[in-house]
Amino acid sequence: MKSFVGMFAGPVVAAALASLPLAAGAADGDLVNPYAGREDVVEEGGSLLNQYCSHCHGPWAVQGERPRDLRRLNLRYGDYAMSTFYTTVQEGRPPKGMPPWKGILDDEIVWKIYTFLQTVQVED
Amino acid sequence: MTMKRVSHVALTAIVGAVLATASSAGIAQKGQWLHYGGNDYSNNRFSDLTQINADNVHKLKVAWIHSLGTLESQESTPLVVGDTMYVTSSTGPRYVFALDARTGKTKWVHQPEMPNDFFATVCCGLDNRGVAYANGKVFFGRLDAKLVALDANTGRRLWTVTVENYRNGHAITSPPLVYKNLVVTGIAGGEYGIRGFVAAYDQDTGEQVWKTYTIPGPGEPGNETWRGDTWKTGAASTWGVGSYDPKLNTVYWATSNAGPWGGHERSIDSSDFYPYTNLWTASQLAFDADTGEIKWGYQYTPNDVWDYDGINEAVLHDLRIGGRTVPVLMHADRNGFFYVLNRQTGKLISADPFVTVNWATHVDLKTGRPVEAANNEKRPQLGKWARNVCPNLIGGKNWSPMSYNPNTGLVYLPAFNMCMDIANKEEEYTPGRFYLASEFDLSKAGATGEHLAMMMAWDPIKKKEVWSIKEPLMFASGAMSTAGNLLFYGNVEGTLKAVNARSGKVLWEFDVGTGILQSPITYTVGGKQYLAVVAGRVKGPPSFFGQIGQRVIDASPEGGVLVVFSL
């Protein structure tokens, strides 16, 4: 039993940490970006980001504050980038200045923005 | 339900206090720094001290340093009352410090107990611009829209009142105005669809004495300048500071942009929008100091769609114009025009571009109205971009205050050289969320070269620039000038500069290590003159500016430090 728990404790803890303040356990596998790979929504997604997010995250996600740099989603959150993004948009991080957008921004808008963001991710 | 614009509560209580304090109101308290905008109520940020002057300023050395304990944009103006300095840190404020003005030694510290979710309903950084002092009490507003009174000797909290609900976008960023027995505050929230107001409280009890909405309700004059119910979310916030003329018994406060920025719902989506001017957004207002009643208003930018937020300070002075001494109010607006108004009547005297302006060709001095560029070329409309609009929405000048020096007759103002593209978009109002209905690209240098900012000397009577110092990056700090023929200001790289106030020659520089936004101050304690600067690089607004914002953030690390100099 002990070794069984040990086997799984690592990955589970890592997932919870990486995806804070997300509901623990939700993984990217549970989510589907309906626009994944759709080049035709990239510009619209960027424009929506400009309208709703750019005041903190910069137009086209370009700005200088590292902690809120959305071009670093994949670099920072790795396999949990999509779920971290989605959950943070839904629930917000009010003490860090991110308001919750659940019930305000439709999933369609959120995923279009995510689709745009995937085109501007940086390696380092 | 009709909302009362002016409520009179406990008005009679004022009268006694008026008599008690009227004598102290007019006396310049030499050597101190008693108000946000200087030693009197005029917001001139001028000091008549001369011990530090153009001949010896190069000998300035650090006397003491105090850490402000936070890293968000530092925008506080310290006050010096007697031998005590009162200064706040950013983030709400996190701290209010009372320091020995000679040594920096801490006398007391107040840490407000605040929720942390207000972070999500503050548009432009977690700032605080300082406290007000009167009658042994220190007053300040907080980002959770509360107003607080402390005992100035002990830091003990005397009262706290909720001015408004922070969760739907209200906040207080600037210190209140104090006179007679009143403490008067404005409110922020112009990006959240609030309805702006100015409210006065009793200094002793915190009881509200009057509250005047800046947007008239149904049945009040001016409500007809709004379409439908849009006045309810029309902004006209009052996040800047007030000025006060004791002789005219008048308080001056200016108002923000209209909300949302996109104007297609609240007005008509074209330059041909009259009568839908959206009063009193982007306007100068004059209030009766005792009742809060609006004496007059002048709208700087009717049906604003550029975020030409009008809150910049009103500097009061009596100027010789055309052989007459005129009580004026000077205001450098975000819309790029430098205004001189008769502060008694509200009549426009002059309005002249101090930076590149192309959204309007000029201001018609007869009607007082700006004449917009033809064919809606520079007016964003629903789904239609206006390209290369100057100034940028950061303005010809932003909140960082200017200084008027009566010795040189010049205004020293931190200006921006930037333009933008902007379009209106559809958007629903949601309480507590950004309500802009706008998309923009602000990453554009202005028409007069690659520099993004400058410190400019402006002659308000000849209505022209006398000299200017170019700054490569945006955000030149507020200005402070002295009778020692000096101008002091800083930049986003963290360079504090002393400048010959007449010639514009830089006489001394000091690197404080992090960007400067607020103007320095000066004071005398124990016969010695000190210079104090609060530094801590701008953190929120650069995010709007893309690549340029990235350069601003990279220019210096964030910080929070108070540096005091003496000879």
mmCIF file of all heavy atoms in Angstrom, chain B residues 32-33 78-87 97-102 105 107-108 133 138 152-153 523 525:
data_model
loop_
_atom_site.group_PDB
_atom_site.id
_atom_site.type_symbol
_atom_site.label_atom_id
_atom_site.label_comp_id
_atom_site.label_asym_id
_atom_site.label_seq_id
_atom_site.Cartn_x
_atom_site.Cartn_y
_atom_site.Cartn_z
ATOM 1 N N GLN B 32 7.166 74.470 5.230
ATOM 2 C CA GLN B 32 6.529 73.171 5.369
ATOM 3 C C GLN B 32 6.011 72.717 4.000
ATOM 4 O O GLN B 32 6.232 73.375 2.990
ATOM 5 C CB GLN B 32 5.387 73.258 6.387
ATOM 6 C CG GLN B 32 5.856 73.781 7.739
ATOM 7 C CD GLN B 32 4.733 73.839 8.749
ATOM 8 O OE1 GLN B 32 4.371 72.850 9.354
ATOM 9 N NE2 GLN B 32 4.175 75.023 8.915
ATOM 10 N N TRP B 33 5.354 71.572 3.981
ATOM 11 C CA TRP B 33 4.654 71.126 2.770
ATOM 12 C C TRP B 33 3.333 70.578 3.279
ATOM 13 O O TRP B 33 3.212 69.425 3.641
ATOM 14 C CB TRP B 33 5.469 70.071 2.015
ATOM 15 C CG TRP B 33 4.969 69.877 0.612
ATOM 16 C CD1 TRP B 33 3.908 69.108 0.249
ATOM 17 C CD2 TRP B 33 5.477 70.468 -0.591
ATOM 18 N NE1 TRP B 33 3.723 69.177 -1.123
ATOM 19 C CE2 TRP B 33 4.663 69.995 -1.657
ATOM 20 C CE3 TRP B 33 6.520 71.347 -0.879
ATOM 21 C CZ2 TRP B 33 4.887 70.376 -2.990
ATOM 22 C CZ3 TRP B 33 6.737 71.718 -2.202
ATOM 23 C CH2 TRP B 33 5.933 71.234 -3.234
ATOM 24 N N PRO B 78 4.784 63.272 0.020
ATOM 25 C CA PRO B 78 4.881 63.410 1.476
ATOM 26 C C PRO B 78 4.400 64.803 1.905
ATOM 27 O O PRO B 78 4.551 65.768 1.163
ATOM 28 C CB PRO B 78 6.384 63.275 1.753
ATOM 29 C CG PRO B 78 6.999 62.760 0.490
ATOM 30 C CD PRO B 78 6.101 63.194 -0.623
ATOM 31 N N LEU B 79 3.829 64.884 3.100
ATOM 32 C CA LEU B 79 3.554 66.187 3.702
ATOM 33 C C LEU B 79 4.584 66.416 4.797
ATOM 34 O O LEU B 79 5.057 65.458 5.419
ATOM 35 C CB LEU B 79 2.157 66.229 4.341
ATOM 36 C CG LEU B 79 0.948 65.945 3.467
ATOM 37 C CD1 LEU B 79 -0.338 66.265 4.241
ATOM 38 C CD2 LEU B 79 0.994 66.707 2.165
ATOM 39 N N VAL B 80 4.923 67.667 5.033
ATOM 40 C CA VAL B 80 5.764 68.002 6.178
ATOM 41 C C VAL B 80 5.025 69.048 7.000
ATOM 42 O O VAL B 80 4.716 70.134 6.515
ATOM 43 C CB VAL B 80 7.150 68.520 5.760
ATOM 44 C CG1 VAL B 80 7.956 68.934 6.984
ATOM 45 C CG2 VAL B 80 7.896 67.457 4.965
ATOM 46 N N VAL B 81 4.711 68.659 8.233
ATOM 47 C CA VAL B 81 3.997 69.539 9.160
ATOM 48 C C VAL B 81 4.882 69.674 10.396
ATOM 49 O O VAL B 81 5.138 68.674 11.079
ATOM 50 C CB VAL B 81 2.629 68.948 9.548
ATOM 51 C CG1 VAL B 81 1.875 69.905 10.463
ATOM 52 C CG2 VAL B 81 1.807 68.613 8.305
ATOM 53 N N GLY B 82 5.374 70.879 10.642
ATOM 54 C CA GLY B 82 6.336 71.033 11.733
ATOM 55 C C GLY B 82 7.578 70.227 11.417
ATOM 56 O O GLY B 82 8.166 70.381 10.343
ATOM 57 N N ASP B 83 7.956 69.321 12.323
ATOM 58 C CA ASP B 83 9.141 68.504 12.040
ATOM 59 C C ASP B 83 8.767 67.062 11.696
ATOM 60 O O ASP B 83 9.600 66.165 11.766
ATOM 61 C CB ASP B 83 10.118 68.539 13.220
ATOM 62 C CG ASP B 83 9.514 67.899 14.468
ATOM 63 O OD1 ASP B 83 8.322 67.527 14.434
ATOM 64 O OD2 ASP B 83 10.236 67.784 15.469
ATOM 65 N N THR B 84 7.500 66.848 11.324
ATOM 66 C CA THR B 84 7.049 65.495 11.005
ATOM 67 C C THR B 84 6.702 65.367 9.525
ATOM 68 O O THR B 84 6.039 66.243 8.962
ATOM 69 C CB THR B 84 5.812 65.118 11.843
ATOM 70 O OG1 THR B 84 6.128 65.297 13.224
ATOM 71 C CG2 THR B 84 5.408 63.675 11.602
ATOM 72 N N MET B 85 7.175 64.274 8.936
ATOM 73 C CA MET B 85 6.795 63.961 7.562
ATOM 74 C C MET B 85 5.798 62.812 7.572
ATOM 75 O O MET B 85 6.002 61.817 8.254
ATOM 76 C CB MET B 85 8.023 63.570 6.736
ATOM 77 C CG MET B 85 7.679 63.164 5.297
ATOM 78 S SD MET B 85 9.106 62.592 4.351
ATOM 79 C CE MET B 85 9.989 64.120 4.105
ATOM 80 N N TYR B 86 4.726 62.976 6.805
ATOM 81 C CA TYR B 86 3.723 61.923 6.639
ATOM 82 C C TYR B 86 3.790 61.428 5.199
ATOM 83 O O TYR B 86 3.635 62.207 4.266
ATOM 84 C CB TYR B 86 2.317 62.445 6.940
ATOM 85 C CG TYR B 86 2.184 63.005 8.340
ATOM 86 C CD1 TYR B 86 2.304 64.370 8.568
ATOM 87 C CD2 TYR B 86 1.963 62.161 9.428
ATOM 88 C CE1 TYR B 86 2.199 64.894 9.852
ATOM 89 C CE2 TYR B 86 1.851 62.670 10.716
ATOM 90 C CZ TYR B 86 1.975 64.047 10.922
ATOM 91 O OH TYR B 86 1.871 64.554 12.193
ATOM 92 N N VAL B 87 4.032 60.136 5.031
ATOM 93 C CA VAL B 87 4.157 59.600 3.672
ATOM 94 C C VAL B 87 3.518 58.215 3.629
ATOM 95 O O VAL B 87 3.541 57.478 4.624
ATOM 96 C CB VAL B 87 5.635 59.575 3.220
ATOM 97 C CG1 VAL B 87 6.481 58.634 4.072
ATOM 98 C CG2 VAL B 87 5.770 59.218 1.742
ATOM 99 N N PHE B 97 3.319 56.257 7.091
ATOM 100 C CA PHE B 97 4.439 56.490 7.998
ATOM 101 C C PHE B 97 4.432 57.930 8.506
ATOM 102 O O PHE B 97 4.197 58.861 7.724
ATOM 103 C CB PHE B 97 5.779 56.308 7.277
ATOM 104 C CG PHE B 97 6.036 54.928 6.748
ATOM 105 C CD1 PHE B 97 5.878 54.653 5.400
ATOM 106 C CD2 PHE B 97 6.461 53.906 7.595
ATOM 107 C CE1 PHE B 97 6.135 53.382 4.889
ATOM 108 C CE2 PHE B 97 6.727 52.632 7.095
ATOM 109 C CZ PHE B 97 6.559 52.374 5.740
ATOM 110 N N ALA B 98 4.709 58.112 9.788
ATOM 111 C CA ALA B 98 5.058 59.431 10.325
ATOM 112 C C ALA B 98 6.536 59.365 10.674
ATOM 113 O O ALA B 98 6.954 58.506 11.468
ATOM 114 C CB ALA B 98 4.223 59.742 11.556
ATOM 115 N N LEU B 99 7.331 60.237 10.062
ATOM 116 C CA LEU B 99 8.786 60.188 10.210
ATOM 117 C C LEU B 99 9.305 61.513 10.745
ATOM 118 O O LEU B 99 8.722 62.570 10.483
ATOM 119 C CB LEU B 99 9.444 59.922 8.847
ATOM 120 C CG LEU B 99 8.928 58.733 8.043
ATOM 121 C CD1 LEU B 99 9.538 58.740 6.643
ATOM 122 C CD2 LEU B 99 9.236 57.418 8.760
ATOM 123 N N ASP B 100 10.403 61.445 11.457
ATOM 124 C CA ASP B 100 11.114 62.670 11.828
ATOM 125 C C ASP B 100 11.709 63.256 10.550
ATOM 126 O O ASP B 100 12.531 62.604 9.886
ATOM 127 C CB ASP B 100 12.230 62.327 12.835
ATOM 128 C CG ASP B 100 12.925 63.576 13.350
ATOM 129 O OD1 ASP B 100 13.222 64.479 12.529
ATOM 130 O OD2 ASP B 100 13.193 63.654 14.564
ATOM 131 N N ALA B 101 11.287 64.462 10.183
ATOM 132 C CA ALA B 101 11.676 65.028 8.894
ATOM 133 C C ALA B 101 13.162 65.361 8.814
ATOM 134 O O ALA B 101 13.693 65.607 7.737
ATOM 135 C CB ALA B 101 10.832 66.270 8.605
ATOM 136 N N ARG B 102 13.843 65.374 9.973
ATOM 137 C CA ARG B 102 15.290 65.634 9.993
ATOM 138 C C ARG B 102 16.104 64.372 9.751
ATOM 139 O O ARG B 102 17.115 64.388 9.076
ATOM 140 C CB ARG B 102 15.682 66.159 11.388
ATOM 141 C CG ARG B 102 16.102 67.593 11.429
ATOM 142 C CD ARG B 102 16.327 67.973 12.882
ATOM 143 N NE ARG B 102 15.077 67.831 13.634
ATOM 144 C CZ ARG B 102 14.571 68.774 14.406
ATOM 145 N NH1 ARG B 102 15.197 69.909 14.567
ATOM 146 N NH2 ARG B 102 13.444 68.574 15.049
ATOM 147 N N LYS B 105 13.740 58.973 11.160
ATOM 148 C CA LYS B 105 13.384 58.029 12.211
ATOM 149 C C LYS B 105 11.857 57.914 12.307
ATOM 150 O O LYS B 105 11.139 58.916 12.283
ATOM 151 C CB LYS B 105 13.957 58.524 13.542
ATOM 152 C CG LYS B 105 13.979 57.488 14.644
ATOM 153 C CD LYS B 105 14.810 58.045 15.809
ATOM 154 C CE LYS B 105 14.882 57.162 17.011
ATOM 155 N NZ LYS B 105 13.692 56.541 17.496
ATOM 156 N N LYS B 107 8.240 57.679 13.647
ATOM 157 C CA LYS B 107 7.470 58.060 14.839
ATOM 158 C C LYS B 107 6.320 57.090 15.051
ATOM 159 O O LYS B 107 6.068 56.645 16.150
ATOM 160 C CB LYS B 107 6.938 59.485 14.699
ATOM 161 C CG LYS B 107 8.036 60.546 14.660
ATOM 162 C CD LYS B 107 7.447 61.951 14.655
ATOM 163 C CE LYS B 107 8.544 62.993 14.827
ATOM 164 N NZ LYS B 107 8.002 64.353 14.946
ATOM 165 N N TRP B 108 5.596 56.784 13.997
ATOM 166 C CA TRP B 108 4.579 55.736 14.053
ATOM 167 C C TRP B 108 4.309 55.213 12.654
ATOM 168 O O TRP B 108 4.651 55.850 11.650
ATOM 169 C CB TRP B 108 3.300 56.183 14.753
ATOM 170 C CG TRP B 108 2.616 57.436 14.263
ATOM 171 C CD1 TRP B 108 2.617 58.664 14.862
ATOM 172 C CD2 TRP B 108 1.791 57.582 13.083
ATOM 173 N NE1 TRP B 108 1.872 59.567 14.129
ATOM 174 C CE2 TRP B 108 1.343 58.919 13.039
ATOM 175 C CE3 TRP B 108 1.377 56.722 12.058
ATOM 176 C CZ2 TRP B 108 0.524 59.418 12.012
ATOM 177 C CZ3 TRP B 108 0.562 57.206 11.040
ATOM 178 C CH2 TRP B 108 0.145 58.541 11.041
ATOM 179 N N TYR B 133 -3.524 66.638 5.861
ATOM 180 C CA TYR B 133 -3.369 66.947 7.283
ATOM 181 C C TYR B 133 -4.218 68.173 7.641
ATOM 182 O O TYR B 133 -4.221 69.176 6.911
ATOM 183 C CB TYR B 133 -1.897 67.244 7.616
ATOM 184 C CG TYR B 133 -1.719 67.741 9.040
ATOM 185 C CD1 TYR B 133 -1.435 66.848 10.063
ATOM 186 C CD2 TYR B 133 -1.880 69.100 9.345
ATOM 187 C CE1 TYR B 133 -1.310 67.286 11.363
ATOM 188 C CE2 TYR B 133 -1.760 69.549 10.648
ATOM 189 C CZ TYR B 133 -1.472 68.646 11.663
ATOM 190 O OH TYR B 133 -1.358 69.078 12.952
ATOM 191 N N VAL B 138 -4.678 63.167 10.450
ATOM 192 C CA VAL B 138 -4.220 62.765 9.130
ATOM 193 C C VAL B 138 -5.363 62.015 8.452
ATOM 194 O O VAL B 138 -5.971 61.138 9.060
ATOM 195 C CB VAL B 138 -2.974 61.865 9.257
ATOM 196 C CG1 VAL B 138 -2.704 61.109 7.975
ATOM 197 C CG2 VAL B 138 -1.758 62.695 9.662
ATOM 198 N N ALA B 152 -2.762 62.493 14.317
ATOM 199 C CA ALA B 152 -1.477 62.800 13.698
ATOM 200 C C ALA B 152 -0.300 62.588 14.645
ATOM 201 O O ALA B 152 0.836 62.389 14.201
ATOM 202 C CB ALA B 152 -1.478 64.245 13.182
ATOM 203 N N ASN B 153 -0.549 62.612 15.943
ATOM 204 C CA ASN B 153 0.549 62.436 16.900
ATOM 205 C C ASN B 153 0.857 60.974 17.190
ATOM 206 O O ASN B 153 1.999 60.612 17.444
ATOM 207 C CB ASN B 153 0.214 63.128 18.233
ATOM 208 C CG ASN B 153 0.244 64.627 18.082
ATOM 209 O OD1 ASN B 153 1.146 65.169 17.423
ATOM 210 N ND2 ASN B 153 -0.738 65.297 18.645
ATOM 211 N N TYR B 523 11.400 71.271 2.005
ATOM 212 C CA TYR B 523 10.925 71.796 3.293
ATOM 213 C C TYR B 523 12.130 72.198 4.134
ATOM 214 O O TYR B 523 13.277 71.854 3.819
ATOM 215 C CB TYR B 523 10.089 70.752 4.039
ATOM 216 C CG TYR B 523 10.837 69.467 4.349
ATOM 217 C CD1 TYR B 523 11.507 69.273 5.567
ATOM 218 C CD2 TYR B 523 10.900 68.435 3.414
ATOM 219 C CE1 TYR B 523 12.189 68.095 5.839
ATOM 220 C CE2 TYR B 523 11.592 67.255 3.681
ATOM 221 C CZ TYR B 523 12.235 67.099 4.895
ATOM 222 O OH TYR B 523 12.925 65.943 5.159
ATOM 223 N N VAL B 525 13.550 72.194 8.166
ATOM 224 C CA VAL B 525 13.419 71.868 9.590
ATOM 225 C C VAL B 525 14.724 72.281 10.266
ATOM 226 O O VAL B 525 15.814 72.007 9.740
ATOM 227 C CB VAL B 525 13.185 70.357 9.838
ATOM 228 C CG1 VAL B 525 12.959 70.100 11.326
ATOM 229 C CG2 VAL B 525 12.007 69.852 9.040
#
